[in-house]
Amino acid sequence: MTAYLLQQPVLLAVDCIVFGFDGKDLNILLIKRNFDPEQGRWSLMGGFLKKGESLPDAANRVLKTLTGLEGVYLEQSKVFCEPDRDPAERVISMSYFALIDINKYEHQVTEDYEAKWFLLDKKPRLVFDHDDMVRQALHQLRYKAALHPLLFELLPERFTIPQLQALYEAVYDTVFDNRNFTRKLISTGLLIKQTAKDKSGSKKGAYLYKLDKRKYKKQQGAFLNLIPRPDKLL
Amino acid sequence: MTAYLLQQPVLLAVDCIVFGFDGKDLNILLIKRNFDPEQGRWSLMGGFLKKGESLPDAANRVLKTLTGLEGVYLEQSKVFCEPDRDPAERVISMSYFALIDINKYEHQVTEDYEAKWFLLDKKPRLVFDHDDMVRQALHQLRYKAALHPLLFELLPERFTIPQLQALYEAVYDTVFDNRNFTRKLISTGLLIKQTAKDKSGSKKGAYLYKLDKRKYKKQQGAFLNLIPRPDKLL
DNA sequence: GCAAAAGTGTTAATAATACACCCATGC
DNA sequence: GCATGGGTGTATTATTAACACTTTTGC
């Protein structure tokens, strides 16, 4: 089993950026690194690729082990491969980002695991090139979400249109006209209106919607146009 | 230097998909694999990551070594990580695709190196998962080129609008209305009309254009809209 | 009754599409 | 003179953006 002699083996890692939405701001989940180098500093959830495991498998395992998260939306981001990115050894890392409904897991990840949520723009400095990873993942999230239905992954199963708009506004750090936003959203045909209302956000209450899962699956790759002038915002 | 004990080292490779345009069809550059396993079969240009080298560095080196190509457009594609993708050892490969003006290098790569151009839809079966890599890269090319200026990389420095249209039509396997295509193209402001004409394609001759390099660099990330209904074509 | 958020329509501007004929040249 | 590919304009339709008031309800 040494067909490729003289080649340099390396360590391959995965690092996961977990984004969550609290109804108002984008948040990111971090853990305190409990081994050297850089023990005690804040870090993304990471781990090494194991024998017989694919990279997405590894990312899912790492997420599950460090935060208990399972079955969440996970997308491959960029590879980080600078020779000296990890001072201890040559490690190449593939980054993944996850999108979750923050409320669904808030207590679980902070109590059962040693993870902590941070407001995205108040997060601490991270180890190695993890700040870069976050920046890149955020860029990728904005890019993809401007073109495809995706941000639904950050909301609970039933959500209101004002919640969704607040989410888009948080991701793009801007404000949209609510009439145009609603119209475009409805016209996607992706939403099913519920009879119940959510009264947590106002006295009047806003209608709850849920995703038409079948159409959503079909249209994952389809184009969306909720964002006016995406080129201005990316 | 063994901070991460007990981790599985792996071999990391890069594989390069080189696309070229001959004025009529998309082509792909392949080489005959000259070592085991799978010696003698057609393959992408690949090689292993070396000490102190980043992945893009490795991709450029591999391209240069195997084909003489240097300084060409090179973009990271997907990672291929199935545990058994290479029967000999655990190898994870990052694929890159390159875009080149086929005529500029045609003789060089086929005479000085043992590479050969194939029509994309008449290429032979490739080793391992390289067919997958090609498929993925083509998809990525179509996706990106539908949104951003990119296909110019496949043409000579000076080109005609009919040439560019033929290129888009080859990439998307469809036909566009030449009046609408020309109008959209001119409106990007990316082209500078030359006084000379190219008479190779017709008796009348078509005006040559070249890219406004400054605007092009600036707009690499900007959105393009040469493709009607991109969602239908991807 | 009033503050606070939800919900809803119309108009104007812009962008995209469909469509067809004349032009220049080499042979 | 005719065959071949190059170049150009307009009318229609579809999409997007700008814009403000009424509704509901908890307090």
Side-chain angles (χ1 to χ4, degrees):
Chain A
M1 277 309 187
T2 51
Y4 307 119
L5 291 171
L6 304 175
Q7 301 303 338
Q8 274 289 321
V10 297
L11 292 180
L12 236 193
V14 294
D15 285 296
C16 300
I17 299 105
V18 179
F19 292 114
F21 182 62
D22 61 12
K24 196 152 168 305
D25 296 289
L26 264 190
N27 294 64
I28 184 174
L29 190 63
L30 301 173
I31 55 170
K32 252 203 179 117
R33 194 170 157 97
N34 63 2
F35 54 92
D36 267 324
E38 301 277 13
Q39 178 159 12
R41 287 187 56 200
W42 290 102
S43 152
L44 296 171
M45 280 67 68
F48 290 98
L49 182 71
K50 295 196 166 169
K51 234 182 192 170
E53 189 182 52
S54 73
L55 283 164
D57 288 348
N60 276 300
R61 172 181 53 77
V62 163
L63 259 194
K64 172 139 194 242
T65 308
L66 296 177
T67 66
L69 293 170
E70 208 170 353
V72 301
Y73 182 90
L74 200 58
E75 175 164 334
Q76 189 169 120
S77 185
K78 296 280 183 305
V79 68
F80 290 78
C81 60
E82 288 308 309
D84 53 359
R85 56 176 295 279
D86 185 319
E89 279 197 54
R90 181 78 203 258
V91 181
I92 282 86
S93 181
M94 179 61 61
S95 61
Y96 283 80
F97 69 83
L99 303 179
I100 71 171
D101 166 18
I102 202 170
N103 298 303
K104 190 166 169 190
Y105 298 102
E106 193 167 16
H107 298 298
Q108 178 191 334
V109 299
T110 53
E111 287 166 20
D112 302 354
Y113 297 85
E114 299 198 55
K116 182 159 185 269
W117 285 104
F118 288 85
L119 284 175
L120 189 54
D121 43 18
K122 297 220 173 113
K123 73 166 179 53
R125 279 279 195 86
L126 307 182
V127 300
F128 307 153
D129 48 7
H130 287 196
D131 286 318
D132 254 322
M133 291 183 178
V134 173
R135 208 171 12 249
Q136 296 265 15
L138 182 62
H139 183 263
Q140 189 173 338
L141 174 66
R142 286 177 161 206
Y143 186 92
K144 181 145 184 191
L147 301 170
H148 304 285
L150 178 67
L151 298 185
F152 301 100
E153 304 288 345
L154 289 159
L155 290 177
E157 199 177 331
R158 302 196 311 163
F159 53 87
T160 69
I161 291 182
Q163 277 168 12
L164 188 62
Q165 183 171 346
L167 169 54
Y168 271 86
E169 292 181 340
V171 168
Y172 295 101
D173 191 26
T174 185
V175 288
F176 300 128
D177 180 278
N178 67 328
R179 289 160 292 190
N180 292 336
F181 185 84
T182 305
R183 185 173 336 102
K184 285 177 168 188
L185 188 58
I186 298 297
S187 79
T188 63
L190 287 174
L191 298 192
I192 303 170
K193 193 175 191 169
Q194 309 296 105
T195 49
K197 283 187 156 191
D198 168 69
K199 296 217 170 190
S200 66
S202 70
K203 294 152 192 171
K204 184 178 178 182
Y207 281 106
L208 287 162
Y209 288 81
K210 60 179 191 183
L211 268 178
D212 185 328
K213 286 273 168 60
R214 284 175 43 166
K215 286 193 191 164
Y216 182 58
K217 294 260 183 266
K218 260 198 227 158
Q219 292 195 218
Q220 281 279 155
F223 281 71
L224 201 66
N225 61 345
L226 296 177
I227 310 302
R229 310 193 205 84
D231 40 341
K232 298 276 186 291
L233 297 175
L234 298 177
Chain B
M1 278 311 189
T2 51
Y4 308 119
L5 291 171
L6 304 175
Q7 301 303 339
Q8 274 289 322
V10 298
L11 292 180
L12 235 193
V14 295
D15 285 296
C16 300
I17 299 106
V18 180
F19 292 115
F21 182 62
D22 60 12
K24 196 152 168 303
D25 296 289
L26 264 190
N27 293 66
I28 184 174
L29 190 63
L30 301 173
I31 55 170
K32 253 202 180 119
R33 194 170 156 98
N34 63 2
F35 54 92
D36 267 325
E38 302 276 13
Q39 177 158 16
R41 285 187 58 201
W42 290 101
S43 152
L44 296 171
M45 279 66 68
F48 291 97
L49 182 71
K50 295 197 167 168
K51 233 181 193 170
E53 190 182 52
S54 73
L55 283 163
D57 287 348
N60 275 300
R61 172 180 52 77
V62 163
L63 259 194
K64 171 136 196 245
T65 309
L66 296 177
T67 65
L69 292 170
E70 208 169 355
V72 301
Y73 181 90
L74 200 58
E75 175 165 334
Q76 188 169 120
S77 185
K78 296 278 182 306
V79 67
F80 290 78
C81 60
E82 288 307 310
D84 53 358
R85 57 175 293 279
D86 185 317
E89 280 197 53
R90 181 77 203 261
V91 180
I92 281 85
S93 181
M94 178 62 60
S95 61
Y96 283 79
F97 70 83
L99 303 179
I100 71 172
D101 166 16
I102 202 170
N103 299 303
K104 190 166 169 191
Y105 299 102
E106 192 167 18
H107 298 298
Q108 178 190 335
V109 299
T110 54
E111 287 166 20
D112 302 353
Y113 298 86
E114 298 198 56
K116 183 160 185 269
W117 285 104
F118 288 86
L119 284 174
L120 189 53
D121 44 19
K122 297 221 172 114
K123 72 167 181 53
R125 280 279 195 84
L126 306 181
V127 299
F128 307 154
D129 48 8
H130 286 196
D131 286 316
D132 255 323
M133 291 183 177
V134 173
R135 209 172 11 250
Q136 295 265 16
L138 182 62
H139 183 265
Q140 189 172 338
L141 175 66
R142 286 177 162 205
Y143 186 92
K144 180 143 185 195
L147 302 170
H148 305 283
L150 178 66
L151 297 185
F152 301 99
E153 304 288 345
L154 288 159
L155 290 177
E157 199 177 329
R158 302 198 309 164
F159 53 86
T160 69
I161 292 181
Q163 276 168 12
L164 189 62
Q165 183 171 347
L167 169 54
Y168 272 86
E169 293 181 339
V171 169
Y172 295 100
D173 191 26
T174 185
V175 288
F176 300 129
D177 180 277
N178 68 328
R179 287 162 293 189
N180 293 336
F181 185 83
T182 305
R183 184 171 339 103
K184 285 176 168 187
L185 188 58
I186 298 297
S187 79
T188 63
L190 287 175
L191 298 192
I192 303 171
K193 193 175 192 168
Q194 309 296 105
T195 49
K197 285 186 156 191
D198 168 69
K199 296 216 170 190
S200 67
S202 71
K203 293 152 192 167
K204 182 179 179 182
Y207 282 106
L208 287 162
Y209 287 81
K210 61 179 191 183
L211 268 179
D212 186 327
K213 286 271 167 61
R214 285 175 41 165
K215 287 193 190 163
Y216 181 58
K217 294 260 184 267
K218 261 198 228 158
Q219 293 195 218
Q220 280 279 154
F223 281 71
L224 201 66
N225 60 346
L226 296 177
I227 309 303
R229 310 194 204 83
D231 40 341
K232 297 277 186 291
L233 297 175
L234 299 178

